């Protein structure tokens, strides 16, 4: 099953053979869902897909919940291992939809796809948009066979960023990577040794993902001789990075790991920070 599904394909599916998830986050996401969602969609908020730490230095701003908590969440949506899940958001999959996709794939769920272009693509394709709230189905117990796989610890990231045989990709916008601005975390910059491939380069002018062929060409150029399995992807807090992991899967280049803590964790630890002006050593980070 390919990672992305087009709106025209979704329109042709029998609604009884898949579960549709509206996964939004940030700000008034529940209100936006109630103001217009694809008919039949069940709501999931980004806050349902993360813990809420008091200290982002221990896991970042959006650390993963326990796998048991996630199993309860998806079981409450009536999802079983055999369920075909289609998920979308109103950010063209740049935020919670890709995170939800990655989390399902990480625990071994096979039948999950993200709507290419998100809510706007559904509107453009003429899918039914409603203000009605879909009733939850009968809850199930989702059987776990594994925990979250495909994650990288902060120590692995630190080692990988210094290894010429590995690549750490920072998917944030280039001004944040360069340390020119930082709207969310305590200090601007990036992990020394990480390269910058902004997530929005995965998308075309129509706010949909590039073709698999274009994505593959772009990432093979960025990887050089490094295999996808030797790549670690991160962002600010482990959400938007999933957009790039989805792009890699669509390109036929699976295997990269997610650094969940991402910049929100790294920047709060006793570790160096790189900017366009050089390296900021740990002892100088908060003197600026």
């Amino acid at each position: 099953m390919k990672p992305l599904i087009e709106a025209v394909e979704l329109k042709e599916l029998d609604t009884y053979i898949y579960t549709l998830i509206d996964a939004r986050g940030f700000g008034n996401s529940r209100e936006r869902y109630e103001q217009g969602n694809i008919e039949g969609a069940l709501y999931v908020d980004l806050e349902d897909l993360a813990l809420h730490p008091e200290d982002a230095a221990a896991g970042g701003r959006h650390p993963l919940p326990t796998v048991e908590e996630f199993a309860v969440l998806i079981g409450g949506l009536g999802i079983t291992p055999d369920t075909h899940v289609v998920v979308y958001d109103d950010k063209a999959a740049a935020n919670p939809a890709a995170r939800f996709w990655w989390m399902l794939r990480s625990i071994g769920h096979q039948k999950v796809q993200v709507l290419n272009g998100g809510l706007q693509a559904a509107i453009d394709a003429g899918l039914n948009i409603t203000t009605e709230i879909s009733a939850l189905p009968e809850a199930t117990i989702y059987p776990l066979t594994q925990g979250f796989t495909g994650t990288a610890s902060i120590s692995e990231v630190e080692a990988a960023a210094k290894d010429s045989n590995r690549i750490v990709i920072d998917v944030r916008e280039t001004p944040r990577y360069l340390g020119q601005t930082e709207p969310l975390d305590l200090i601007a910059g990036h992990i020394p040794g990480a390269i910058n491939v902004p997530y929005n380069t995965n998308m075309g002018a129509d706010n949909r993902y590039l073709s698999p062929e274009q994505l593959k060409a772009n990432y093979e150029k960025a990887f050089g001789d490094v295999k996808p399995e030797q790549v670690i992807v991160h962002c600010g807090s482990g959400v938007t990075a999933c957009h790039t992991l989805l792009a890699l899967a669509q390109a036929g280049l699976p295997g990269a790991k997610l650094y969940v803590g991402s910049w929100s964790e790294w920047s709060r630890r006793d570790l160096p920070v790189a900017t366009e002006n050089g390296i900021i050593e740990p002892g100088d980070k908060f003197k600026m």
Side-chain angles (χ1 to χ4, degrees), residues 174-215:
T174 298
R176 291 182 71 186
Y177 170 83
L178 293 176
Q180 297 171 350
T181 184
E182 179 47 60
L184 297 170
D185 292 307
L186 301 181
I187 187 169
H190 63 269
I191 298 170
I195 67 170
N196 184 218
V197 184
Y199 79 92
N200 54 20
T201 62
N202 296 325
M203 308 180 80
D206 59 358
N207 223 24
R208 291 170 172 78
Y209 280 82
L210 300 173
S211 70
E213 295 77 18
Q214 288 175 296
L215 290 169

Side-chain angles (χ1 to χ4, degrees), residues 205-255:
D206 59 358
N207 223 24
R208 291 170 172 78
Y209 280 82
L210 300 173
S211 70
E213 295 77 18
Q214 288 175 296
L215 290 169
K216 184 175 183 180
N218 291 348
Y219 280 104
E220 285 184 337
K221 181 178 180 180
F223 291 176
D225 295 330
V226 176
K227 301 297 183 184
E229 296 82 3
Q230 299 302 316
V231 174
I232 299 172
V233 181
H234 79 91
C235 54
S237 65
V239 177
T240 307
C242 295
H243 187 278
T244 289
L245 292 170
L246 178 58
L248 289 171
Q250 182 72 357
L253 299 171

Side-chain angles (χ1 to χ4, degrees), residues 16-194:
Y16 292 100
I17 67 171
Y18 67 92
T19 294
L20 184 61
I21 303 296
D22 183 311
R24 308 195 199 192
F26 308 113
N28 59 340
S29 57
R30 177 75 194 197
E31 181 180 341
R32 299 198 309 274
Y33 164 75
E34 294 174 353
Q35 289 172 347
N37 62 84
I38 303 175
E39 186 176 15
L42 305 174
Y43 174 76
V44 173
D45 191 275
L46 173 61
E47 299 307 317
D48 298 323
L49 306 178
L51 294 177
H52 308 97
E54 293 184 5
D55 182 6
R61 286 184 277 108
H62 291 112
L64 293 172
T66 67
V67 68
E68 293 79 11
E69 289 170 327
F70 184 56
V72 170
L73 171 67
I74 59 179
L77 297 167
I79 294 172
T80 74
D82 295 323
T83 302
H84 178 187
V85 179
V86 178
V87 58
Y88 72 93
D89 59 32
D90 57 358
K91 304 291 185 185
N95 284 304
R99 169 83 163 218
F100 192 81
W101 168 85
W102 180 88
M103 290 173 71
L104 281 175
R105 293 289 297 152
S106 181
I107 65 168
H109 193 96
Q110 298 296 316
K111 298 170 69 175
V112 55
Q113 295 178 290
V114 173
L115 178 60
N116 196 6
L119 179 62
Q120 188 58 52
I123 294 170
D124 294 343
L127 274 77
N128 292 333
I129 307 299
T130 182
T131 57
E132 293 185 9
I133 308 304
S134 297
L136 288 171
E138 183 178 353
T140 66
I141 297 176
Y142 194 97
L144 293 172
T145 59
Q146 63 188 52
F148 292 115
T149 62
T151 63
S153 67
I154 192 169
S155 58
E156 183 179 356
V157 172
E158 185 176 15
K162 300 173 182 176
D163 186 344
S164 61
N165 295 312
R166 302 195 69 182
I167 293 175
V168 176
I169 297 179
D170 185 330
V171 312
R172 296 174 301 156
E173 298 87 345
T174 298
R176 291 182 71 186
Y177 170 83
L178 293 176
Q180 297 171 350
T181 184
E182 179 47 60
L184 297 170
D185 292 307
L186 301 181
I187 187 169
H190 63 269
I191 298 170

